[in-house]
């Protein structure tokens, strides 16, 4: 039976084919150290940057509507319509946009990819806001409402095998890839070659699943609010600290728990088996990861409310949003601001993609191999 490090490298190769796997065998300690650092970077840098961008975009719209006296339901409808239509169009036409963006490595493609991520991120945030605040305005807030939205979101995701779609930063990140950064992860994974009706259907399914993710998040987040603030009578600071502890401890546990799961997955793959209990374990592992993700989001979101310019609402949005976006662009993680649909199939990978420095290291090994081949060819000439 392979050890956890070997299984980890095998799983990395499954998720990122051709990324220096053979060379990583000779540098596995370096890769593992960088991966541990990646977990810290995800939680302390990339995750907060994404959350700052989301909070500023979401709350600035609320602030703008309140300033002009626009009713909440009008803002909810506008956000939902804009978000659904924009992301629906992206789901259908992203292959065309990818082809029209210019060659890999060109300035036009680099600029277009950042604009694409920014527009998609803003559209996605408005979709989430329209659903989330719309539910609150229509049905109010309470444990019953939270339980209903939790179930309405969880059931479609589990049935479709797409619960992983509810994972987000800091439980996994998305590093900008020049080849695929102008693309959308959809349920049927349609491409430019697929007929329009299939791409249209793919967009419909993907939007339904995205709304399911919003409802799942809404259920877990607001349930935590109601239990800690209403039932237990905690203060805003105490419930924020609770989520911070869950997020910080949980991300470490997720990283450690996935190692024995990798060993079991490799054994299952060799035996060609996938028993029901293994599917259930993977669903539970993902669900726990989702709650840890939400706790991390909630902790940072509320912390910014409490500590970052609390007496200047407008300035906190104007400062935190651009700052978060600047950090993400600087680190090459601008695609982290928008969502996608991802399958729960263990054969497609078990590990949470914390890969940042570790992936850059793997890419550097690939580049060394390319340069070595080029030098050998020049020597032969």
């Amino acid at each position: 039976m392979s050890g956890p490090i070997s299984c980890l490298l095998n799983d990395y190769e499954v998720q990122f084919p051709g990324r220096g796997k053979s060379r990583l065998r000779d540098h596995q300690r370096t890769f593992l150290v960088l991966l541990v650092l990646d977990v810290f970077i995800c939680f302390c840098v990339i995750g907060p940057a994404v959350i700052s961008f989301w909070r500023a975009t979401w709350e600035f719209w609320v602030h703008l509507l309140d300033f002009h006296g626009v009713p909440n339901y009008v803002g909810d409808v506008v956000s939902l319509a804009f978000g659904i239509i924009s992301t629906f169009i992206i789901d259908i036409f992203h292959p065309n946009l990818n082809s029209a963006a210019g060659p890999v490595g060109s300035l036009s493609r680099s600029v277009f990819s950042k604009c694409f991520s920014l527009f998609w991120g803003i559209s996605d945030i408005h979709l989430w806001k329209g659903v989330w605040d719309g539910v609150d305005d229509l049905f109010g807030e309470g444990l019953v409402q939270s339980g209903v939205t939790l179930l309405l979101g969880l059931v479609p995701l589990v049935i479709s095998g797409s619960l992983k779609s509810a994972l987000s930063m800091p439980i996994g990140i998305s590093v900008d890839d020049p080849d695929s950064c102008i693309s959308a992860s959809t349920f049927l994974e349609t491409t430019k070659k697929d007929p329009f009706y299939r791409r249209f259907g793919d967009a419909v399914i993907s939007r339904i699943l995205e709304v399911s993710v919003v409802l799942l998040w809404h259920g877990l987040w607001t349930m935590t609010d109601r239990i800690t603030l209403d039932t237990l009578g905690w203060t805003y600071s105490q419930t924020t600290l609770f989520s911070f502890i869950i997020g910080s401890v949980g991300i470490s546990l997720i990283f450690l728990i996935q190692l024995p799961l990798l060993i079991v997955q490799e054994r299952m793959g060799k035996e060609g088996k996938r028993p029901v209990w293994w599917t259930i374990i993977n669903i539970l592992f993902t669900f726990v990861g989702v709650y840890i993700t939400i706790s991390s989001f909630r902790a940072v979101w509320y912390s910014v409310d409490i500590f970052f310019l609390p007496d200047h609402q407008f300035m906190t949005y104007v400062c935190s949003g651009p700052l978060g976006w600047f950090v993400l662009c600087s680190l090459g993680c601008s695609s982290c601001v928008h969502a996608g649909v991802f399958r729960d199939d263990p054969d497609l990978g078990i590990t949470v993609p914390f890969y940042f420095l570790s992936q850059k290291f793997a890419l550097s090994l690939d580049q060394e191999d390319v340069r070595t081949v080029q030098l050998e060819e020049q020597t032969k000439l």
Side-chain angles (χ1 to χ4, degrees):
M1 183 182 295
S2 301
I5 306 299
S6 178
C7 293
L8 177 66
L9 294 178
N10 291 337
D11 190 82
Y12 177 79
E13 170 67 11
V14 170
Q15 297 190 45
F16 305 96
R19 294 290 174 85
K21 177 185 174 184
S22 58
R23 295 286 303 280
L24 284 176
R25 299 289 175 182
D26 300 327
H27 302 84
Q28 59 184 21
R29 287 187 179 180
T30 302
F31 183 80
L32 185 60
V33 169
L34 292 176
L35 183 56
V36 172
L37 289 175
D38 287 344
V39 176
F40 176 81
I41 293 171
C42 286
F43 186 78
C44 297
V45 182
I46 298 176
V50 172
I51 299 164
S52 296
F53 178 81
W54 268 67
R55 174 187 172 274
T57 305
W58 187 306
E59 297 291 355
F60 180 76
W61 179 246
V62 175
H63 177 80
L64 191 64
L65 294 176
D66 289 344
F67 181 79
H68 291 285
V70 179
N72 289 339
Y73 71 89
V74 174
D76 297 340
V77 171
V78 171
S79 289
L80 182 59
F82 171 70
I84 284 286
I85 293 172
S86 299
T87 55
F88 186 81
I89 292 173
I90 289 173
D91 282 344
I92 295 177
F93 295 108
H94 70 91
N96 305 79
L97 295 174
N98 188 44
S99 302
V104 174
S106 65
L107 178 61
S108 61
R109 186 177 183 84
S110 178
V111 173
F112 188 86
S113 66
K114 296 296 184 292
C115 294
F116 174 79
S117 292
L118 181 62
F119 178 76
W120 188 6
I122 293 174
S123 301
D124 211 25
I125 293 168
H126 275 280
L127 186 157
W128 277 62
K129 184 192 178 302
V131 175
W132 192 299
D133 288 351
V135 168
D136 286 344
D137 291 338
L138 283 173
F139 304 106
E141 300 178 6
L143 282 175
V144 174
Q145 292 90 325
S146 299
V148 171
T149 55
L150 169 59
L151 290 176
L152 288 176
L154 181 63
V155 172
L157 293 171
V158 172
I159 292 176
S160 64
S162 305
L163 185 58
K164 274 189 176 180
S165 305
L167 291 173
S168 183
M169 278 57 63
I171 308 299
I173 61 171
S174 177
V175 178
D176 297 340
D177 188 331
D179 294 323
S180 59
C181 58
I182 307 174
S183 62
S185 180
T186 56
F187 183 74
L188 298 179
E189 299 181 340
T190 51
T191 66
K192 194 176 180 180
K193 297 179 181 179
D194 288 294
F196 181 78
Y197 72 86
R198 181 175 172 83
R199 289 162 66 179
F200 186 90
D202 188 16
V204 171
I205 297 172
S206 298
R207 289 308 89 208
I208 292 173
L209 292 175
E210 181 70 14
V211 171
S212 299
V213 171
V214 182
L215 293 175
L216 173 59
W217 271 59
H218 176 276
L220 290 173
W221 186 309
T222 57
M223 187 175 291
T224 304
D225 282 345
R226 300 286 67 81
I227 293 175
T228 57
L229 295 173
D230 298 343
T231 304
L232 299 178
W234 290 359
T235 64
Y236 201 59
S237 298
Q238 288 173 327
T239 189
T240 301
L241 178 61
F242 168 75
S243 286
F244 177 79
I245 293 173
I246 294 295
S248 57
V249 174
I251 193 173
S252 302
L253 292 177
I254 286 290
F255 178 74
L256 295 174
I257 291 172
Q258 66 186 0
L259 297 178
L261 292 180
L262 285 170
I263 297 176
V264 177
Q265 169 62 15
E266 185 148 314
R267 178 168 61 85
M268 293 291 180
K270 291 179 179 179
E271 296 176 356
K273 299 178 181 179
R274 189 188 294 176
V276 175
W277 63 265
W278 179 236
T279 301
I280 294 174
I281 286 177
N282 276 277
I283 291 173
L284 292 175
F285 174 72
T286 303
F287 184 78
V288 171
V290 171
Y291 186 69
I292 293 171
T293 300
I294 294 171
S295 296
S296 302
F297 242 82
R298 188 174 176 273
V300 175
W301 193 299
Y302 287 177
S303 293
V304 176
D305 286 343
I306 297 170
F307 300 111
F308 188 71
L309 301 175
D311 298 325
H312 304 277
Q313 281 192 334
F314 179 77
M315 289 306 299
T316 187
Y317 308 143
V318 170
C319 295
S320 62
L323 178 61
W325 177 249
F326 174 76
V327 170
L328 293 172
C329 289
S330 300
L331 296 176
C333 296
S334 61
S335 55
C336 287
V337 299
H338 49 73
V341 177
F342 303 96
R343 299 294 188 95
D344 298 333
D345 187 353
D347 293 336
L348 300 177
I350 291 286
T351 57
V352 175
F354 293 114
Y355 308 110
F356 178 64
L357 294 178
S358 52
Q359 181 155 325
K360 292 182 181 297
F361 177 68
L363 289 173
S364 70
L365 295 179
D366 286 342
Q367 292 169 357
E368 287 182 10
D369 290 341
V370 171
R371 287 194 292 267
T372 300
V373 171
Q374 291 175 342
L375 288 174
E376 290 177 352
E377 292 178 350
Q378 291 176 0
T379 303
K380 291 179 182 179
L381 293 176

